[in-house]
Amino acid sequence: MVIMTTTSSPAFLPVLERIAEEIGRTPGRGRPADYIPALAACDPRSFGMAVAELDGTVYGVGEWRQPFSTQSLTKVFTLALDLAREGDELWEHVGREPSGNPFNSLVQLEYEQGIPRNPFINAGALVVTDRLHTRTSDAAGELLAFLRAESGNAGLDFDREVAASESQHGDRNAALAHFMASYGNIDNEVPVLLDQYFRQCSVAASCADLALATTFLARHGIRADGTRLLTQSQAKQVNAVMLTCGTYDAAGDFAYRVGLPGKSGVGGGIIAVVPGRCALCVWSPGLDERGNSVAGVAALDRFTTLTGLSVF
């Protein structure tokens, strides 16, 4: 069923309906992230998709109101929140280049002296969360407040079960944080940082929530209340890093197929931005070998093909 939150022109409804129908006929949806026990039980055939226009109009199909584990999608918002506070100084501590390695790899950190390749691999996200925590004393709380405000959903919250599950299986993230701390690239105590990071990744939100929360990037840095979070240049920077680094070591293929700035998470979600027009979120928990939603990438591929909306 498709629902529209306002009576505006339903320009996207037929497209979303067609995509949902096509995805429903597609066999082979990948596998949930079984290395996080709290996510392993998700049905890989679940599917939801939402599009949010600049004025807050939202269209959705499937399970677009069903909350799911946002995981790495939150890295976009913490990046924006920290970039708004410290500006270009951030880029002295984290790079802007694709990694070419898995999102939790330690390989590059040693020969790049503790500077992560980009803010969307785990090492880079830990640096961003660390720096946001230094500036706010509660990075995860700052993120949650932002998501609640932008989505209009005051009920958004952390999933304690997911956060605990990640903490219990977070040895590699701990190793990344300690390694960067040995190079002086982490300010806070590592246990404090890890607690913030695992809480950040545990936020549960729906496609509708996340599409709305992402529209500030489609509005070139303007929040839902009309205030400016990022300069136009900073919004461009975030979108550019999403395009080149947002889907782990499959960013080139994603750019080729979808042609939009996007960020995926191992909970099965992907957010994407059409600058000046709309933001999208799609969710299906079955992942490919690189950690990206199989049905999610396919749905965004069809969206840009059917609408002609891409940055190319």
Side-chain angles (χ1 to χ4, degrees), residues 74-95:
T74 59
K75 296 173 181 177
V76 170
F77 307 109
T78 53
L79 172 61
L81 289 168
D82 186 70
L83 188 61
R85 284 167 170 79
E86 65 169 318
D88 286 346
E89 184 181 345
L90 170 64
W91 303 119
E92 298 174 14
H93 300 270
V94 61

Side-chain angles (χ1 to χ4, degrees), residues 95-269:
R96 302 185 295 271
E97 295 293 335
S99 70
N101 286 309
F103 57 86
N104 58 357
S105 173
L106 291 97
V107 171
Q108 289 171 326
L109 277 177
E110 184 166 12
Y111 62 80
E112 295 184 351
Q113 300 185 318
I115 305 296
R117 187 63 69 91
N118 67 69
F120 294 148
I121 55 175
N122 285 15
L126 284 163
V127 168
V128 173
T129 297
D130 176 66
R131 298 185 70 76
L132 182 62
H133 189 65
T134 296
R135 284 154 180 78
T136 64
S137 300
D138 185 7
E142 194 76 16
L143 164 73
L144 185 62
F146 177 82
L147 292 176
R148 285 174 171 174
E150 297 307 293
S151 67
N153 183 358
L156 292 184
D157 210 344
F158 305 112
D159 186 321
R160 288 184 172 83
E161 179 186 359
V162 171
S165 181
E166 293 203 57
S167 179
Q168 291 163 9
H169 298 82
D171 291 340
R172 186 174 288 259
N173 284 317
L176 290 166
H178 280 294
F179 194 82
M180 292 185 294
S182 75
Y183 281 95
N185 201 24
I186 295 295
D187 294 333
N188 296 280
E189 295 295 324
V190 168
V192 173
L193 169 58
L194 292 174
D195 177 67
Q196 289 286 319
Y197 182 69
F198 295 141
R199 289 171 65 213
Q200 166 190 319
C201 292
S202 78
V203 172
S206 70
C207 291
D209 296 325
L210 290 162
L212 284 166
T214 307
T215 52
F216 78 99
L217 289 171
R219 292 190 292 262
H220 308 293
I222 302 293
R223 295 186 59 170
D225 64 2
T227 62
R228 179 170 288 281
L229 175 68
L230 300 176
T231 67
Q232 288 197 25
S233 179
Q234 288 172 330
K236 177 195 70 176
Q237 291 168 3
V238 174
N239 281 329
V241 178
M242 287 174 69
L243 180 67
T244 58
C245 308
T247 47
Y248 311 123
D249 53 337
D253 185 63
F254 186 83
Y256 175 85
R257 291 183 61 185
V258 176
L260 292 175
K263 181 72 193 83
S264 61
V266 296

